[in-house]
Amino acid sequence: MTTRELPARASLENLRKQAKGLHKAFTDGEDDAVARIRTHLPRAAGLDDNALRALDLSLQEAQHVLAKEYELPSWDALRDAVTVPSFDELALLTDMETQRLLRQISQKDLCRSIIGASEAVRGRFLSNM
């Protein structure tokens, strides 16, 4: 089975639906789903076809297989890859990270962005300008 590439605007909800679909397809005995499980689920390695089809696959295992198909080590890593951080998390940047970001964005964009930002975010950027 080939690997997949995450779309630019991947949705966690869509990935959850994909994992549920894989789980259902495996439970229904669909050949493609069985092959995907065989390829990416560690406990399926070395099982014959009958033993593999008899597995009681959990949804978490289907999520793990999906993450592996996207070349990530776990569902948590896949979830983290598509979850958009909050603007307020910019206040957690170090001074060096803030300065690096300041060099990459225009002053015009910065001014627009920090107008409605929290005091912590505004302070982080203004103290590093």
Side-chain angles (χ1 to χ4, degrees), residues 50-103:
N50 290 333
L52 178 61
R53 290 176 183 274
L55 276 180
D56 186 19
L57 183 74
S58 70
L59 179 57
Q60 290 78 18
E61 289 174 317
Q63 290 171 335
H64 176 81
V65 168
L66 192 63
K68 290 301 218 174
E69 289 177 338
Y70 284 111
E71 298 183 324
L72 292 165
S74 67
W75 175 257
D76 288 341
L78 179 57
R79 184 190 61 228
D80 291 347
V82 300
T83 303
V84 178
S86 158
F87 192 75
D88 288 336
E89 291 180 40
L90 291 172
L92 303 175
L93 294 175
T94 65
D95 285 342
M96 185 179 291
E97 292 167 332
T98 303
Q99 292 163 13
R100 189 177 309 129
L101 183 59
L102 283 169
R103 287 191 293 272

Side-chain angles (χ1 to χ4, degrees), residues 22-69:
L22 174 59
H23 183 262
K24 182 178 180 337
F26 178 81
T27 303
D28 292 346
E30 294 181 19
D31 292 335
D32 181 58
V34 172
R36 291 168 67 188
I37 299 302
R38 180 185 305 280
T39 302
H40 295 290
L41 186 65
R43 77 177 178 120
L47 294 178
D48 65 32
D49 201 47
N50 290 333
L52 178 61
R53 290 176 183 274
L55 276 180
D56 186 19
L57 183 74
S58 70
L59 179 57
Q60 290 78 18
E61 289 174 317
Q63 290 171 335
H64 176 81
V65 168
L66 192 63
K68 290 301 218 174
E69 289 177 338

